Amino acid sequence: MISKSGYNIKEFCKAAGISVSALYSYKSDGVDIPSEKLISMARILQVSLKEVLTLFGKDVTGVPDDQ
């Protein structure tokens, strides 16, 4: 999803205000992502919060899509 948005990992992290290691911790270690970072990521990627949560392996079953 990140590469499809035109960013590489380092550029995306800089735009989102997070470190590359934090991104990997969110993804692989299941570290909770602060809501302001989720919102920032959704804006950068131009996707819904649900899609961002899915990117990080969070279970969004039953969560309605953004309108």
Side-chain angles (χ1 to χ4, degrees):
M1 182 183 299
I2 293 171
S3 61
K4 288 181 183 179
S5 70
Y7 288 93
N8 65 37
I9 297 295
K10 189 174 180 181
E11 293 168 336
F12 173 76
C13 289
K14 183 175 181 179
I18 60 172
S19 67
V20 173
S21 62
L23 179 71
Y24 287 111
S25 290
Y26 298 152
K27 178 74 174 153
S28 60
D29 298 338
V31 173
D32 285 336
I33 307 166
S35 58
E36 66 273 2
K37 298 301 180 189
L38 288 169
I39 293 166
S40 177
M41 291 178 201
R43 285 184 179 136
I44 293 164
L45 297 172
Q46 295 293 296
V47 297
S48 69
L49 286 171
K50 186 175 177 178
E51 289 181 78
V52 174
L53 291 167
T54 301
L55 174 69
F56 290 100
K58 304 296 183 184
D59 181 11
V60 294
T61 304
V63 175
D65 292 324
D66 293 348
Q67 298 292 333

